[in-house]
Amino acid sequence: MRKNIATLALAGIAALVVTACGAAPQSGQNQQAANHTAVYGATSQVMIFWDPSDSFSNEVVAMNNMYETLLRYDPRADKFIPVLATSYEKSKDNLTWTFHLRNNVHFHDGKLMTSADVKNSIERTIHRGKGAAYIWDAVKSIETPDPQTVKFVLKYPAPIDLIASSPYAAFIFDTDVLKKNGDNWFASGHEAGTGPYMLQSWSADKPLVLQKFPDYWGGWNGPHYDKVVFETVSDANTKAQMVKSGTLTYVDMLPVQQLDALANDHNVRIVRTPSFQNLIAFFNTEKKPLNDPKVREALSDAFPYDQVIKDVMQNQARQSVGPIPDGLWGHDGNLPVHHYDLDTAKKLLADAGIQPGKLSLTLTYTAGDANEEQIASLYKASLQQIGVNLEVRSMPWDAQWNLAKASDPQQRQDIFLMYWWPDYSNPYSFLYNLFHSEKTVNFNLSYYKNPQYDKLIDDGNVKAGVDRTAAEQLFAQAQSMLVKDNPAIWIFDEDYVRAVSSSMQGFVDNPSYPNVVFWYDVRPQ
């Protein structure tokens, strides 16, 4: 998972809620004030990146409340919801997209948003080239014919509406603050968005607290949360007790067993939604013997898929068929899949010249993730049966990721366990970020390099702007190539199963915005 880990005691969180809301509730009025503060219980540290141009990790859950995009995408209805743009159109050749901006939108510093801000925000993101900036590759220029109109002129056809609704790299912000404060102002813990919530307080060892932006364009009629607190609680038992007691309003992740235990509690509501999130185990293909496809195939056959889905995920997931999750366009349900087969795994290892007891591997997973911990343990037990020794290491996300990016491939882990979710709802998000050749290691943690594969997905990305069917055919060829090469184990596509306070109403889990609660759209009871 793109994340960091920190631990917080229950008492500390209870104290924070009191601090954020004022004195401990003693009256109906104070109780109402307490109810208007929401607390998001995160498994790991929320704010990894502060710069809206660079954002590419857990901070998505907060960023999408401080910042906004031109549009928002509803994948179930396959439609776009106006946000900072009220309407848009494209030319017949799909090379010019014109967006008409909402009137009277203010940044948190009071400045009125114009088309120049949209242009400057996206051009800065493109120029920095970090995070998900690659999604704007098709843009040749951005024009601003008037303060309320933005035109994207493209080098090749691309779905700019989908790109402009991305949960990463599509935020509109006030770039003028950087002229006054320097380009690193964001990175030191500041924001300059138009979103319904603005930064109240944050430091590296304390929670992130957002408060409502009084001049938000959507207004504040009706019940809304006045504050949102993002807490890190890595212990699953603590999180379960906290949502049960009402200390947490929303929990991003709990083991299925605990979710089942909460299902009949009147203080908790369980929300189940198919997601675009999958769990992947990446092989270090630059390290012997994992550079041998036959060895990788053997290790894939030794993975206990059914046991993981049944016993760990309690059937709230399905075995992955390739790297694109089920439900996202570009998913190919006809790809071959591995099945748990220790006899075949033994034979493949023998064919590769590996004797029982002579292969030792290291697997890393993110500390605090109870599901990953159980999965790693089951895989270790399975590999023992074919004479492979697996050392399982629980590591904070930053330490795990830094190990994976070590300059010497021999120092890196053998198997890296990680979730992936889309930076925008396009199969290219998975195929490019996770397996496209990289000069500098980022998220291609199997270190896979295949120029033919790269060309297929790059061509597919271009085709996606004019002919989705043709794009899917190219993406299917690329996926077939990946499955044959086995650079990773595609474990499962999971459902989002959330435990939320029964006092929170109107929550809808949108898989295009992973783990995000749009707090303005929900309401306290």
Side-chain angles (χ1 to χ4, degrees):
M1 199 176 290
R2 312 163 177 169
K3 64 185 182 183
N4 220 335
I5 294 294
T7 304
L8 190 69
L10 172 59
I13 297 171
L16 171 76
V17 175
V18 172
T19 301
C21 302
Q26 298 294 328
S27 66
Q29 182 178 1
N30 283 338
Q31 184 64 54
Q32 184 181 19
N35 288 340
H36 286 185
T37 293
V39 184
Y40 184 114
T43 300
S44 59
Q45 178 182 331
V46 170
M47 296 309 298
I48 308 300
F49 297 99
W50 270 96
D51 195 312
S53 290
D54 303 351
S55 171
F56 205 41
S57 192
N58 294 359
E59 71 286 341
V60 65
V61 302
M63 287 288 204
N64 279 278
N65 288 280
M66 293 187 282
Y67 294 93
E68 293 178 303
T69 53
L70 295 176
L71 305 170
R72 188 176 300 163
Y73 180 56
D74 179 350
R76 296 182 186 87
D78 194 19
K79 70 177 183 179
F80 295 91
I81 301 165
V83 185
L84 295 180
T86 56
S87 63
Y88 68 99
E89 62 268 356
K90 60 181 177 178
S91 60
K92 290 183 178 180
D93 61 4
N94 295 293
L95 291 175
T96 302
W97 292 66
T98 303
F99 287 78
H100 305 283
L101 302 182
R102 189 178 297 278
N103 292 316
N104 299 316
V105 174
H106 290 84
F107 292 106
H108 295 161
D109 61 4
K111 175 189 164 185
L112 192 67
M113 185 196 76
T114 69
S115 58
D117 296 299
V118 175
K119 171 183 170 70
N120 293 339
S121 296
I122 295 173
E123 285 184 343
R124 179 180 183 270
T125 297
I126 293 171
H127 177 72
R128 288 177 69 82
K130 298 182 179 181
Y134 75 93
I135 65 177
W136 297 105
D137 179 70
V139 174
K140 179 180 179 181
S141 64
I142 303 174
E143 300 175 0
T144 54
D146 63 61
Q148 297 305 119
T149 306
V150 180
K151 286 189 175 183
F152 294 90
V153 180
L154 308 186
K155 296 177 287 187
Y156 55 84
I160 293 297
D161 47 6
L162 195 61
I163 293 166
S165 63
S166 168
Y168 297 102
F171 296 125
I172 307 306
F173 49 91
D174 181 5
T175 56
D176 287 349
V177 298
L178 302 177
K179 298 175 184 177
K180 297 183 291 185
N181 300 297
D183 209 44
N184 291 324
W185 184 75
F186 286 129
S188 58
H190 297 93
E191 57 91 6
T194 64
Y197 294 93
M198 57 193 295
L199 176 64
Q200 175 178 309
S201 63
W202 174 85
S203 63
D205 59 346
K206 292 182 180 179
L208 172 70
V209 182
L210 305 183
Q211 62 184 344
K212 74 175 185 180
F213 174 41
D215 295 326
Y216 181 58
W217 59 263
W220 291 96
N221 293 330
H224 290 278
Y225 287 104
D226 296 326
K227 292 185 180 181
V228 182
V229 179
F230 293 86
E231 276 287 4
T232 301
V233 193
S234 59
D235 182 72
N237 291 322
T238 302
K239 281 197 296 189
Q241 289 301 315
M242 290 172 67
V243 72
K244 186 175 181 179
S245 68
T247 310
L248 293 180
T249 312
Y250 170 95
V251 174
D252 67 344
M253 179 188 301
L254 279 174
V256 176
Q257 296 89 335
Q258 286 169 315
L259 289 164
D260 289 343
L262 292 170
N264 296 320
D265 193 295
H266 70 279
N267 293 318
V268 180
R269 186 161 52 91
I270 304 300
V271 181
R272 290 180 167 84
T273 311
S275 83
F276 296 154
Q277 180 168 306
N278 53 13
L279 183 64
I280 304 170
F282 296 87
F283 293 124
N284 183 347
T285 62
E286 293 187 339
K287 187 176 180 182
K288 290 182 178 181
L290 296 177
N291 61 335
D292 185 344
K294 191 171 292 185
V295 173
R296 302 196 297 267
E297 184 179 356
L299 296 175
S300 298
D301 285 334
F303 191 88
Y305 302 94
D306 291 344
Q307 188 178 9
V308 164
I309 291 169
K310 179 182 177 182
D311 295 342
V312 179
M313 300 304 295
Q314 299 290 300
N315 295 315
Q316 301 296 331
R318 298 153 302 285
Q319 183 178 346
S320 296
V321 181
I324 308 301
D326 190 11
L328 182 63
W329 74 273
H331 171 77
D332 185 354
N334 295 317
L335 291 170
V337 296
H338 288 277
H339 298 286
Y340 185 56
D341 187 342
L342 294 184
D343 290 336
T344 298
K346 286 180 184 178
K347 183 178 185 306
L348 287 167
L349 288 178
D351 290 346
I354 296 175
Q355 299 177 3
K358 298 299 183 180
L359 178 58
S360 295
L361 302 171
T362 299
L363 178 149
T364 64
Y365 73 91
T366 307
D369 190 318
N371 287 340
E372 286 189 350
E373 180 180 10
Q374 294 180 65
I375 290 165
S377 179
L378 289 173
Y379 192 31
K380 176 183 176 72
S382 176
L383 290 178
Q384 283 178 338
Q385 297 182 59
I386 59 172
V388 176
N389 304 308
L390 184 68
E391 177 192 354
V392 174
R393 294 184 192 173
S394 166
M395 303 179 70
W397 168 256
D398 56 348
Q400 184 186 14
W401 198 26
N402 287 335
L403 178 66
K405 294 190 291 183
S407 57
D408 182 358
Q410 302 306 311
Q411 295 178 358
R412 303 168 187 162
Q413 78 297 321
D414 297 296
I415 305 173
F416 191 117
L417 198 59
M418 183 182 76
Y419 299 97
W420 190 258
W421 52 73
D423 37 46
Y424 73 121
S425 295
N426 188 317
Y428 194 60
S429 170
F430 290 81
L431 300 175
Y432 174 85
N433 286 294
L434 301 181
F435 299 106
H436 195 286
S437 302
E438 292 181 337
K439 292 182 180 179
T440 302
V441 176
N442 193 30
F443 284 109
N444 180 351
L445 300 178
S446 61
Y447 322 108
Y448 183 71
K449 295 181 177 65
N450 186 326
Q452 186 180 355
Y453 168 85
D454 294 346
K455 186 176 188 309
L456 281 170
I457 65 169
D458 290 342
D459 289 349
N461 185 46
V462 172
K463 283 285 187 183
V466 290
D467 188 342
R468 183 178 286 190
T469 300
E472 288 181 319
Q473 292 173 352
L474 292 170
F475 289 149
Q477 293 179 49
Q479 289 177 78
S480 295
M481 194 173 295
L482 275 181
V483 169
K484 182 178 179 181
D485 288 347
N486 284 295
I489 303 174
W490 294 281
I491 299 174
F492 58 67
D493 303 342
E494 69 173 300
D495 292 339
Y496 283 143
V497 188
R498 315 292 195 187
V500 305
S501 171
S502 57
S503 66
M504 183 177 78
Q505 302 296 310
F507 169 64
V508 176
D509 213 336
N510 186 329
S512 290
Y513 301 86
N515 304 307
V516 173
V517 178
F518 291 100
W519 289 103
Y520 181 81
D521 297 333
V522 299
R523 60 189 184 276
Q525 190 174 40

